[in-house]
Amino acid sequence: MLIQIKPPFPISSSEITPEPVYRDRRRFLARMGLSAFGLACAACGRADPPASQASGRTATAEESRTLSIATRTDRAGGEAVTPMDSVTHYNNFYEYGTGKGDPAANAWRLKTRPWTVRVEGECEAPGTLDIDDLFKRYPLEERIYRHRCVEGWSIVVPWDGFALGPFLQRFKPTSRAKYVAFVSLYDPQQMPQAGNILPWPYREGLRIDEAMHPLSFLSVGMYGKVMPKQDGAPLRLTVPWKYGFKSIKSIVKIEFTERAPPTTWNVVASDEYGFYSNVNPNVDHPRWSQKTERRLGELFRRPTLMFNGYPEVAPLYAGLDLRTYF
Ligand SMILES: Nc1nc2c(c(=O)[nH]1)N[C@H]1C(S)=C(S)[C@@H](COP(=O)(O)O)O[C@H]1N2
Ligand SMILES: [Mo]
């Protein structure tokens, strides 16, 4: 009998982004004295995964649950949706390693239940939410968005979740709330490389008016299913007009702040990764061009669109020189 074995990573990294480009961030980190090559299992000293989970392809009932979606909107102009298998096997989630296939191989360690999200800071009604209450409270929407990584690759994904703005309003931000800070889970037991590579926990932030923009989205799933762990289960941010690193994964805390919060890539290299980080083909990264991008699964690069093709956000930046406020 012929047994067909599916390769764990259907698309090799080099097919999608030229080697020198995706290697750049790793090499850069190495220069910074941060080890980019921690060994997943050696670092956390835990037993190997159960065989069923080792490849990251077998999920529990909760993890593979089909979501019931109330409304669906295409916000990617009819562009073809990227196959889910590509999106879940070519990831950036440095808590699980720097290789594009590392998150799919290692994120089975993430425990998504119980899971709470603390919302605090400059607001009248701070609170702690249980992820399952969130699922019950909000009718889920599906939005097809483009996602453009600062490294020059992109995907089109049907994200399932709810608008960020109305969610934040429930906590009654005060007039001092000028920014919103987001924090990822930090747990070296579950995240084998959490001890090195970047300063943890991963942090991101938005100006409050960016967070309230109707395009800003909190995702709990994709392709009609509960969010795969490697894509930031159980709750991640989705900000389609900004480079992918703004879309922080596995959120445990949201804080309203008066001052701009520190954000991970900006802290590590402020001359390369700005706080705003709006997708902008006219402002090159210091080490590579941002004029074009490679859509996963496509052969040729395509032009990168201003604000990733979401020009309705332009008024948020009126008066800002986008070459300096990048
Ligand atoms: N906590 C955390 N969030 C993260 C990252 C990360 O390393 N850690 N990587 C970011 C980057 S660079 C990108 S491009 C997107 C990738 O999302 P995807 O793997 O679901 O495509 O997640 C972002 N969110
Ligand atoms: Mo990214």
Side-chain angles (χ1 to χ4, degrees):
M1 193 174 91
L2 242 176
I3 299 172
Q4 267 215 340
I5 298 173
K6 200 164 144 237
F9 314 125
I11 301 168
S12 88
S13 307
S14 54
E15 267 179 61
I16 293 143
T17 306
E19 287 252 337
V21 174
Y22 76 78
R23 278 222 190 116
D24 254 339
R25 272 162 119 195
R26 291 195 218 181
R27 232 185 271 137
F28 175 80
L29 289 170
R31 274 211 308 279
M32 298 286 291
L34 299 158
S35 161
F37 299 99
L39 278 175
C41 283
C44 66
R46 285 178 46 164
D48 283 342
S52 63
Q53 293 180 322
S55 68
R57 269 179 279 136
T58 309
T60 67
E62 170 55 29
E63 290 156 24
S64 56
R65 187 161 62 87
T66 298
L67 300 170
S68 76
I69 313 285
T71 56
R72 290 191 153 83
T73 338
D74 176 7
R75 298 305 318 269
E79 288 181 40
V81 165
T82 307
M84 184 181 184
D85 211 39
S86 306
V87 169
T88 56
H89 291 85
Y90 189 89
N91 299 97
N92 275 334
F93 197 171
Y94 275 25
E95 286 87 334
Y96 289 100
T98 56
K100 292 291 183 268
D102 290 347
N106 298 327
W108 61 270
R109 289 174 191 279
L110 179 66
K111 287 206 285 279
T112 59
R113 294 295 184 287
W115 191 282
T116 55
V117 182
R118 175 78 193 157
V119 184
E120 60 183 33
E122 294 292 349
C123 60
E124 284 165 29
T128 303
L129 292 174
D130 186 86
I131 189 72
D132 290 314
D133 292 339
L134 259 183
F135 269 100
K136 276 178 221 140
R137 203 184 305 248
Y138 292 91
L140 296 182
E141 247 189 86
E142 183 161 276
R143 295 194 192 175
I144 304 178
Y145 280 157
R146 297 178 203 90
H147 172 101
R148 191 345 180 136
C149 176
V150 72
E151 296 161 347
W153 54 269
S154 64
I155 46 185
V156 176
V157 178
W159 302 99
D160 302 314
F162 40 87
L164 175 63
F167 168 82
L168 291 178
Q169 294 290 11
R170 289 189 38 218
F171 303 91
K172 299 191 166 62
T174 69
S175 58
R176 281 189 303 274
K178 302 282 197 296
Y179 294 88
V180 189
F182 300 84
V183 184
S184 289
L185 177 71
Y186 171 67
D187 181 356
Q189 291 299 308
Q190 298 179 50
M191 296 170 158
Q193 301 207 350
N196 43 35
I197 306 175
L198 287 174
W200 310 108
Y202 195 95
R203 294 172 189 277
E204 260 308 334
L206 297 171
R207 229 172 46 194
I208 189 104
D209 55 339
E210 297 179 310
M212 296 298 172
H213 192 279
L215 282 173
S216 293
F217 202 65
L218 276 173
S219 299
V220 295
M222 49 165 55
Y223 300 85
K225 303 261 196 210
V226 164
M227 188 67 74
K229 293 183 175 185
Q230 60 265 42
D231 291 283
L235 180 75
R236 69 171 291 170
L237 191 61
T238 306
V239 200
W241 72 94
K242 292 176 178 284
Y243 289 119
F245 64 85
K246 298 294 291 183
S247 292
I248 183 172
K249 296 176 167 182
S250 306
I251 297 168
V252 292
K253 197 171 105 172
I254 300 178
E255 190 182 358
F256 296 101
T257 65
E258 193 165 11
R259 290 162 187 263
T263 59
T264 296
W265 281 98
N266 181 248
V267 164
V268 168
S270 61
D271 52 331
E272 303 204 350
Y273 309 100
F275 175 82
Y276 286 101
S277 284
N278 296 316
V279 174
N280 187 344
N282 307 314
V283 177
D284 286 344
H285 185 277
R287 292 178 290 120
W288 60 84
S289 163
Q290 296 292 30
K291 287 191 176 53
T292 64
E293 66 198 54
R294 182 96 77 112
R295 187 65 52 80
L296 254 66
E298 290 182 3
L299 201 55
F300 298 106
R301 298 183 72 88
R302 55 167 70 215
T304 286
L305 306 173
M306 186 65 203
F307 297 120
N308 205 23
Y310 301 96
E312 60 266 49
V313 300
L316 291 170
Y317 310 103
L320 281 190
D321 180 351
L322 296 178
R323 282 163 305 182
T324 47
Y325 283 87
F326 64 96

